Amino acid sequence: MDVLTALDRKADYSKTQLQFILAAWIASTAFEKKSKISTTDGDVSEDDYDKQSLYSLLYALYRSVGNVPSETGASYEFTFNTWGCAWPKTWGPCPTQANDPQRFGKNAYAGLYQFAEVKDYVAARKGKVHVVEMGCGTGAGANYVCTTVLPECTYEALDMQYAAIQTARRKHVPGLGGRLVATCVDATKADIKDSVADFVAVNETHVTEMPGVITDEDRRFFKTAQRMLKPGGHIVWGNAIPEATWKPCFDYLESIGMKVREVRDVTKEAVQARDEDKKRIDIFVDHCLRTFHGFKIPYYGAKRRVEAEIALKNFARNPGTRLYDNMVDGTDTYKVVLVEKPAGASA
Ligand SMILES: C[S@@+](CC[C@H](N)C(=O)[O-])C[C@H]1O[C@@H](n2cnc3c(N)ncnc32)[C@H](O)[C@@H]1O
């Protein structure tokens, strides 16, 4: 069993099923020539994993583990699958509390709507705007935006992972009185009409990852965002991706008639967030590993435990991992970007 490639995005694995899946992964150690996960820095080569399998595992894991303590002892469910950033001073008062375990994720979502142009657009419509999010994860950010950032908006949250959408429907949709709809779909194939969205939100969605190039999937992704936007509407996009990939993305967006209006680099604040979040991530990863009995099996269990620990920490860009180092040395940069579909443009 290879958990990096074999899991199904349409499944919502129970804790018992995960116990068996991880036990099978541990058993497969005996037949593996070389581990796919670097035990030095958690790196996994792009060719060695499938994003659908990876997120299927992660969302089932987050739900199975349930409520966990943060580094301050606050109990929370891990729902923001977001690196996020510390709040830049130039953006004004910070919207989140210093003791909120998922404050960096919330900052990331609030930051998407921090542009003056966005504020004017929202104010002109008395807050009644419609958001479509491509790659919403558990809907934690959608919920935060609906309750706090755009309290008059309606919101359609899309993610390809069924387990994540189930968490959105359990935790976030019921409290919003019909304003939030969560749908399990590949966002590039979503059955959403043309020109309906004031904003298409893209927050750390796992696209535009290939260094220096824009892939066919990335093109489809942006083309869909453009199609769904009203003329005059905006893509609000934040992520840490290879620095070399931003320009090919901007060039493509301009080539299809979109206008890149503002680009804000928050890499320094994103590194700060990972530094300040380290203790919480360490506690969370330890909690995950203790939940699954297979990791207690001598030798192979212990070997896989080391791999799982560093891989989970790398995925969180924890200090001491490859993805953290990539942000520190500028290989990856975190930017928040505003892209307009000019008024008068057609779908
Ligand atoms: C790092 S997570 C971020 C999730 C969420 N935005 C957050 O900040 O918590 C990346 C997400 O992108 C989703 N994703 C990647 N490609 C997608 C696509 N084509 N359609 C829908 N979701 C996609 C994954 O399923 C995953 O949930």
Side-chain angles (χ1 to χ4, degrees):
M1 159 66 83
D2 182 352
V3 291
L4 295 175
T5 56
L7 303 188
D8 181 0
R9 76 173 178 90
K10 293 186 181 148
D12 185 9
Y13 299 108
S14 68
K15 190 167 173 179
T16 308
Q17 285 174 311
L18 269 193
Q19 295 279 11
F20 281 111
I21 287 167
L22 290 171
W25 181 54
I26 289 161
S28 71
T29 320
F31 310 101
E32 200 174 67
K33 288 198 187 84
K34 187 177 171 294
S35 171
K36 290 179 169 183
I37 301 167
S38 159
T39 50
T40 315
D41 60 12
D43 187 46
V44 181
S45 154
E46 287 278 340
D47 305 333
D48 281 342
Y49 77 92
D50 168 55
K51 74 175 174 182
Q52 302 195 9
S53 182
L54 179 68
Y55 286 107
S56 178
L57 174 68
L58 290 175
Y59 289 122
L61 188 66
Y62 301 157
R63 201 226 34 251
S64 294
V65 169
N67 276 23
V68 289
S70 75
E71 77 285 10
T72 63
S75 175
Y76 74 104
E77 183 175 342
F78 196 105
T79 50
F80 279 87
N81 202 359
T82 322
W83 304 302
C85 60
W87 190 255
K89 286 197 179 65
T90 50
W91 290 6
C94 177
T96 52
Q97 302 289 321
N99 60 356
D100 181 337
Q102 303 198 88
R103 62 194 177 282
F104 299 119
K106 291 179 183 175
N107 287 349
Y109 274 89
L112 298 178
Y113 303 94
Q114 200 58 27
F115 299 97
E117 206 171 315
V118 168
K119 290 184 176 178
D120 291 347
Y121 183 101
V122 173
R125 287 155 186 81
K126 298 193 168 38
K128 296 201 177 304
V129 291
H130 184 61
V131 181
V132 176
E133 182 174 0
M134 299 173 75
C136 65
T138 65
N143 180 57
Y144 181 66
V145 170
C146 285
T147 51
T148 309
V149 183
L150 300 172
E152 299 295 325
C153 77
T154 50
Y155 204 116
E156 177 139 17
L158 313 174
D159 201 284
M160 57 161 61
Q161 292 292 334
Y162 182 69
I165 292 300
Q166 286 303 92
T167 297
R169 289 177 180 163
R170 167 175 58 87
K171 260 187 104 70
H172 306 307
V173 170
L176 284 164
R179 286 174 55 218
L180 173 61
V181 174
T183 306
C184 178
V185 67
D186 177 336
T188 65
K189 298 178 183 153
D191 184 17
I192 291 183
K193 291 200 171 76
D194 294 353
S195 309
V196 292
D198 294 286
F199 297 103
V200 169
V202 182
N203 193 68
E204 300 190 15
T205 301
H206 198 119
V207 289
T208 62
E209 300 274 319
M210 292 287 280
V213 290
I214 177 162
T215 65
D216 288 345
E217 184 194 13
D218 301 336
R219 286 193 189 88
R220 279 200 307 279
F221 192 86
F222 288 129
K223 201 72 184 124
T224 306
Q226 180 197 38
R227 178 184 73 69
M228 293 190 297
L229 276 173
K230 295 175 185 172
H234 299 82
I235 300 175
V236 285
W237 171 27
N239 207 353
I241 63 170
E243 166 60 19
T245 309
W246 288 107
K247 188 172 181 307
C249 290
F250 296 158
D251 288 349
Y252 177 70
L253 282 161
E254 297 269 349
S255 79
I256 59 171
M258 303 288 283
K259 289 278 162 257
V260 178
R261 307 285 299 174
E262 212 174 320
V263 180
R264 295 173 163 184
D265 191 320
V266 293
T267 311
K268 182 168 69 68
E269 289 84 358
V271 171
Q272 183 187 337
R274 292 304 87 225
D275 289 337
E276 292 179 15
D277 216 13
K278 179 178 183 306
K279 275 195 193 140
R280 179 183 74 103
I281 296 296
D282 287 349
I283 293 168
F284 179 72
V285 169
D286 187 54
H287 214 88
C288 290
L289 298 177
R290 277 192 286 114
T291 301
F292 295 97
H293 309 311
F295 292 121
K296 295 177 193 132
I297 298 167
Y299 192 67
Y300 289 135
K303 189 169 180 290
R304 283 298 200 211
R305 192 185 195 287
V306 171
E307 291 176 18
E309 178 177 354
I310 190 76
L312 285 171
K313 288 182 177 173
N314 185 49
F315 195 70
R317 291 192 188 258
N318 227 29
T321 64
R322 171 71 71 91
L323 287 179
Y324 174 84
D325 288 347
N326 282 356
M327 277 206 305
V328 171
D329 69 16
T331 305
D332 293 350
T333 49
Y334 199 124
K335 295 184 186 184
V336 188
V337 179
L338 181 68
V339 184
E340 186 189 10
K341 175 173 172 174
S346 62

